Amino acid sequence: MLKKKIITTPAAGEAILADAIRKVSQPSRRAFLQRTLTLGGLSLLTGCSISDDSAVEQALTKVSQFNDRAQALIFDPNRLAPTYPDSMITRPFPFNAYYGEDEVREVDGDAWRLELSGLIADRQPWSLAQLRKLPQTDQVTRHICVEGWSAIGKWGGVPFSYFLRRVGADLSAKYVGFKCADDYFTSIDMPTALHPQTLMALTYDGQELPPRYGFPMKLRMPTKLGYKNPKHIQAIFVTNTYPGGYWEDQGYNWFGGS
Ligand SMILES: Nc1nc2c(c(=O)[nH]1)N[C@H]1C(S)=C(S)[C@@H](COP(=O)(O)O)O[C@H]1N2
Ligand SMILES: [Mo]
């Protein structure tokens, strides 16, 4: 049984709310909540009585799940994210990971095989040479990180929808999950996996993808925030069971649209 902190004064309520807002990671979202959220509002929205810290946590999780559904509903599979001229590429393009740049994983490209599992008809592993023989395209798009920066970069590679069809993935499944060489993992909704701008990126700025940007292969989606774009992909699986993700399991919104 939870020990409940009863909200006796408006000031106590304010403190809980301020705490809830602090727990929201994105500064712009935090500012938005600060202007719009009331304790009653959060309770109404979530059906939770906001009486202690774990209730706040639960209420915020519900808001985030509500956001996932809303974002999935408004996601237009044919609407393209903006693209930019090469002259607008951010140089140098920032590095980011859950560790520092001196700890970037060095993957052996010759030994590397992309593993496939789950609801996929042809689960043969793929070598880098085989992936390079598939149709390629490139795009200059903006990458937006929740930590408060964005940058324009150029990625090239195989349209993911082409690849998923080629290997006979169940395109009616809910999720595509990714496991990375550095223990990072994430998952996306099938409509985003099939979006025309979602790429299995093998190059950055016309060169083989450098280690810091995710060699040998990353998934690049201009329709999703940075943390949804997995680098150093080792395995891809298709499933109807919610796979979560490294940051998502720590409270980042799962849909993560940008
Ligand atoms: N494997 C792996 N992929 C990852 C991450 C990571 O730590 N490991 N970090 C994510 C985050 S939060 C961001 S912003 C981008 C950064 O990509 P970049 O180094 O190409 O800028 O990678 C994403 N994909
Ligand atoms: Mo990020």
Side-chain angles (χ1 to χ4, degrees):
M1 181 64 191
L2 278 170
K3 217 176 99 201
K4 290 219 163 179
K5 240 189 265 166
I6 307 295
I7 301 171
T8 45
T9 64
E14 293 272 302
I16 284 178
L17 199 57
D19 206 42
I21 289 166
R22 255 199 313 281
K23 283 180 178 152
V24 175
S25 54
Q26 201 178 325
S28 60
R29 296 225 168 110
R30 212 150 50 204
F32 175 76
L33 283 177
Q34 220 134 33
R35 280 191 314 261
T36 56
L37 193 65
T38 61
L39 207 55
L42 187 60
S43 310
L44 268 180
L45 213 58
T46 61
C48 294
S49 69
I50 311 292
S51 50
D52 61 18
D53 281 358
S54 79
V56 167
E57 208 66 74
Q58 276 171 35
L60 286 174
T61 300
K62 282 198 180 173
V63 171
S64 185
Q65 286 165 352
F66 172 81
N67 275 334
D68 280 342
R69 288 194 296 274
Q71 289 182 78
L73 273 174
I74 62 175
F75 179 73
D76 177 346
N78 299 309
R79 181 154 152 218
L80 298 182
T83 56
Y84 303 88
D86 282 22
S87 61
M88 285 182 73
I89 294 174
T90 308
R91 299 180 194 281
F93 190 84
F95 162 86
N96 197 29
Y98 69 90
Y99 43 80
E101 198 165 345
D102 51 334
E103 286 174 68
V104 167
R105 295 308 183 272
E106 297 285 345
V107 176
D108 176 350
D110 294 327
W112 179 84
R113 295 289 179 277
L114 174 66
E115 298 151 34
L116 302 179
S117 64
L119 306 171
I120 295 177
D122 181 359
R123 294 188 288 268
Q124 297 241 82
W126 287 71
S127 70
L128 200 45
Q130 288 173 311
L131 290 180
R132 285 182 179 141
K133 285 191 199 120
L134 298 178
Q136 316 274 317
T137 179
D138 57 35
Q139 65 195 13
V140 180
T141 54
R142 185 182 293 277
H143 170 120
I144 303 169
C145 174
V146 281
E147 287 171 29
W149 56 271
S150 85
I152 294 172
K154 182 177 188 167
W155 292 270
V158 184
F160 196 38
S161 67
Y162 174 89
F163 182 79
L164 289 173
R165 288 190 172 92
R166 171 76 185 255
V167 298
D170 177 355
L171 305 181
S172 68
K174 278 192 186 153
Y175 308 106
V176 182
F178 304 89
K179 292 182 200 156
C180 306
D182 59 357
D183 300 332
Y184 195 77
F185 64 106
T186 188
S187 55
I188 59 170
D189 53 297
M190 185 61 79
T192 300
L194 298 175
H195 185 273
Q197 288 171 309
T198 297
L199 285 188
M200 291 169 89
L202 302 172
T203 69
Y204 181 76
D205 203 7
Q207 310 289 319
E208 174 177 274
L209 197 64
R212 67 186 180 287
Y213 302 145
F215 181 82
M217 193 266 284
K218 72 169 272 180
L219 200 76
R220 174 60 198 146
M221 293 166 284
T223 56
K224 285 218 190 286
L225 292 166
Y227 64 89
K228 302 298 296 181
N229 289 242
K231 305 194 285 188
H232 315 290
I233 296 175
Q234 192 69 62
I236 297 179
F237 58 100
V238 173
T239 179
N240 284 311
T241 309
Y242 177 73
Y246 180 90
W247 289 117
E248 294 87 334
D249 293 356
Q250 299 176 57
Y252 277 26
N253 173 253
W254 178 77
F255 196 86
S258 71

